[in-house]
Amino acid sequence: MQTVFFYVFAALTVLCALMVVANPFSRNPVTSAMFLVLTIVSLAGLFVQLHAFFLAAVQVLVYAGAVMVLFLFVIMLLDLKEEERRKVRKFAVIAGGLAVAIIAVLFCTAIGQTTAGIGVQPILEGGTAALGELLFKHYLLPFEILSVLLLVAMVGVILLSKKDLK
Amino acid sequence: MMNWFNNLSPTSQFVLFSALKVVPAVLVMLFIVAYIVLVERRLCAFIQDRVGPNRAGPLGLLQPMADAVKAFLKEDFMPAHVRPVYYWLAPALVMIPSLLTLAVIPFGSQLGSQKMVVADLNVGILYTFGIVSLGVYGIVLAGYAANSKYPFMGGIRASAQMISYEVAMGLSVIPLFLLVGDLNLSTVIGDQTHGLFSWLVFRQPLAFAIFLCAAFAETNRTPFDLPEAEQELAGGYNVEYSSMKFALFFMGEYANMIAASAMMVTLFFGGWTLPFFGLDQPAATVLGGLVHIGIFLAKLLVLLVLFIWVRWMWPRFRYDQLMNLGWKGLVPLALANIVVTATWLWLKS
């Protein structure tokens, strides 16, 4: 049963992700955005399979709920027409291919180095308390650095959107 | 019969019991949706010194059926200029999130050995917020699908408003969980069983006020019903819809109201408990279980009537006022509430 669900969600994730970037039926950016929502929700399904309910809920809440709505908002306000097929540039192909190759190598080494797990360990079932302990004790420094990064992004957005800032 | 049941595997039993809880819960919700529309029409009529729909059946009690028949029999007209896929998708997307929210709401204590909650998640509240945040897609896509001016503006307004107030709503409940120490909604209810004043509405009145405001905005109800302001938008995001698709938007609004009220009952008003006659302990008998479900529904109804009452007593905000209230009023207040509560808990410990 578990395995069946895993394959269903995994297939959905990959399929929807593919439809985001290479949808043969429509070049509409809103359609791509909607498929990205589906990708995120299917990923949340995979998290549930791993008993990481907190991650699943936050995945839907943060990515599907907030970011994607803003994304849609921008797309609609900019009123993009169906994106025309651009000419393929040599440099872009080489750079893209290189990037994919590097990521593939990274993934393969990572997968090769890990030993197979012993199945689901539902330690995160309690979710928030354990996660909070980890975040605010063990991983405090990375956590703080990340929040500074987010703050920088926010300040940047305000600076960019207020062009006549004195 | 019992033999057949006991022979089932635990998984099958679980699935069977879940189905037995899901189906009545959804049916009851749809029933309330149908009748809360009637209540709204009658109440607003009384507020405006009219009579309201009282022709179909005694006191107009058959009016929802007449409305349903009308919605189904009307021509399902699709204008030529709409985007068909989204046009079909949007009404469903409005309805689904509010139904999904019900899954984690404990609507009773126990019937027999079964807990009266479909999924007793440890991160119940995050689940609800995740689902609620998906609710905006239906309205935005409806505005986009219509491919004409006023619905589009309604959709844009809805998305901006719902994103803004979601922040205030999310921040407003954090003090509750600081007090309770758990995100599980059953635990939240359990924490409210020490007398009337252990209800979180009395321990966190500010949080309740913020949550209530945000709930009005999230459900697009007056005084924040700008996405469907008739005078400005000719009806808003649902202008291009007719017959059953329009009815789905209409039902979606009320289903969202029910979901928001159910959340408030659970978070602030002690859920299925009452602090008298030992009604705050899980029921031992079937009758007790039914009484608990009744208490939950009664509290739900009171809050729904509050939604309706406010709608017909208050004028609508201007859009800039709405944004000011959200970002400059409610969000800072909610943040201050978090800091104060956390400090107080720290001093107490």
Side-chain angles (χ1 to χ4, degrees):
Chain A
M1 201 66 175
Q2 283 264 328
T3 348
V4 173
F5 275 126
F6 170 77
Y7 281 118
V8 167
F9 279 114
L12 266 178
T13 310
V14 174
L15 201 71
C16 293
L18 205 67
M19 296 293 260
V20 176
V21 286
N23 190 337
F25 307 109
S26 137
R27 303 279 300 162
N28 187 344
V30 173
T31 309
S32 298
M34 286 312 291
F35 272 111
L36 190 49
V37 176
L38 285 181
T39 314
I40 287 165
V41 173
S42 332
L43 260 184
L46 286 179
F47 281 133
V48 170
Q49 295 264 294
L50 294 169
H51 290 259
F53 294 125
F54 179 78
L55 275 183
V58 167
Q59 172 93 4
V60 173
L61 179 62
V62 173
Y63 287 103
V67 178
M68 284 311 303
V69 172
L70 287 174
F71 193 7
L72 262 182
F73 203 33
V74 171
I75 291 172
M76 287 162 76
L77 279 182
L78 293 177
D79 196 23
L80 297 172
K81 298 287 168 227
E82 287 209 7
E83 232 182 52
E84 286 163 37
R85 279 181 189 280
R86 289 201 212 100
K87 278 182 190 164
V88 180
R89 274 194 248 144
K90 224 179 247 174
F91 177 70
V93 172
I94 293 170
L98 207 64
V100 171
I102 291 172
I103 292 175
V105 168
L106 274 178
F107 268 148
C108 290
T109 11
I111 292 171
Q113 278 175 358
T114 43
T115 46
I118 39 171
V120 171
Q121 297 291 304
I123 36 163
L124 272 184
E125 193 118 26
T128 43
L131 203 73
E133 288 270 322
L134 273 179
L135 265 187
F136 288 103
K137 284 187 176 155
H138 196 247
Y139 296 109
L140 184 61
L141 189 65
F143 182 75
E144 296 283 332
I145 292 173
L146 262 184
S147 16
V148 172
L149 191 70
L150 284 178
L151 186 69
V152 168
M154 260 193 275
V155 172
V157 165
I158 292 171
L159 207 68
L160 285 178
S161 58
K162 287 212 170 211
K163 276 172 189 148
D164 50 349
L165 204 66
K166 287 277 140 55
Chain B
M1 181 69 191
M2 278 322 280
N3 252 335
W4 166 80
F5 182 78
N6 288 332
N7 284 338
L8 286 174
S9 69
T11 320
S12 320
Q13 287 187 4
F14 175 73
V15 169
L16 196 68
F17 271 125
S18 295
L20 278 179
K21 284 185 269 189
V22 170
V23 173
V26 170
L27 285 182
V28 167
M29 179 161 186
L30 291 179
F31 178 81
I32 299 178
V33 166
Y35 272 91
I36 205 68
V37 176
L38 178 67
V39 171
E40 164 130 44
R41 291 174 69 183
R42 291 285 282 182
L43 258 183
C44 89
F46 291 142
I47 288 172
Q48 297 171 341
D49 208 9
R50 297 185 282 117
V51 180
N54 66 345
R55 295 289 105 179
L59 298 170
L61 280 178
L62 295 179
Q63 186 69 31
M65 266 171 246
D67 285 341
V69 169
K70 189 187 93 172
F72 272 113
L73 292 184
K74 264 187 164 179
E75 185 191 356
D76 190 13
F77 179 75
M78 187 163 85
H81 57 77
V82 298
R83 298 181 166 92
V85 178
Y86 293 121
Y87 187 81
W88 281 85
L89 197 62
L93 280 182
V94 167
M95 196 66 192
I96 291 170
S98 42
L99 292 178
L100 286 179
T101 317
L102 274 195
V104 289
I105 305 280
F107 49 86
S109 56
Q110 291 185 336
L111 272 186
S113 59
Q114 282 294 312
K115 283 181 104 173
M116 283 295 105
V117 49
V118 177
D120 202 12
L121 282 189
N122 283 321
V123 290
I125 190 69
L126 285 175
Y127 168 88
T128 9
F129 276 107
I131 298 296
V132 165
S133 69
L134 295 181
V136 66
Y137 283 106
I139 292 177
V140 174
L141 283 182
Y144 180 71
N147 205 5
S148 60
K149 186 164 62 181
Y150 291 125
F152 185 71
M153 284 169 73
I156 294 285
R157 278 184 175 194
S159 57
Q161 169 179 335
M162 288 169 90
I163 294 168
S164 307
Y165 277 78
E166 221 176 78
V167 177
M169 197 184 221
L171 289 176
S172 74
V173 295
I174 290 177
L176 303 191
F177 297 105
L178 288 177
L179 288 178
V180 176
D182 204 320
L183 292 180
N184 183 315
L185 291 176
S186 299
T187 321
V188 173
I189 290 178
D191 199 65
Q192 301 180 64
T193 52
H194 317 295
L196 182 64
F197 288 98
S198 69
W199 284 9
L200 284 160
V201 65
F202 296 114
R203 284 151 72 193
Q204 280 289 341
L206 183 61
F208 175 66
I210 297 169
F211 193 94
L212 190 68
C213 277
F216 277 106
E218 287 284 313
T219 50
N220 297 320
R221 296 281 298 184
T222 318
F224 308 117
D225 63 341
L226 292 127
E228 40 189 325
E230 296 90 349
Q231 295 86 340
E232 303 157 26
L233 297 177
Y237 55 84
N238 51 21
V239 165
E240 307 284 358
Y241 283 88
S242 57
S243 85
M244 205 51 213
K245 291 206 203 73
F246 175 80
L248 265 179
F249 280 114
F250 203 68
M251 286 160 68
E253 182 183 326
Y254 287 93
N256 277 328
M257 264 165 67
I258 293 173
S261 304
M263 286 266 289
M264 279 191 277
V265 168
T266 311
L267 290 175
F268 294 100
F269 293 96
W272 43 261
T273 66
L274 267 190
F276 322 110
F277 314 120
L279 280 172
D280 49 4
Q281 296 309 317
T285 59
V286 173
L287 183 68
L290 290 176
V291 168
H292 278 151
I293 295 178
I295 292 172
F296 179 81
L297 288 177
K299 288 179 179 175
L300 189 71
L301 215 60
V302 171
L303 280 174
L304 284 173
V305 169
L306 176 74
F307 267 88
I308 293 168
W309 188 22
V310 167
R311 176 169 182 188
W312 297 99
M313 300 302 262
W314 279 50
R316 181 182 298 138
F317 276 57
R318 264 198 340 256
Y319 204 71
D320 59 319
Q321 290 173 329
L322 167 91
M323 283 297 159
N324 274 342
L325 179 70
W327 288 107
K328 295 182 183 167
L330 298 182
V331 171
L333 260 182
L335 282 173
N337 197 19
I338 294 172
V339 174
V340 169
T341 311
T343 317
W344 183 69
L345 280 175
W346 177 61
L347 288 177
K348 215 178 68 166
S349 68

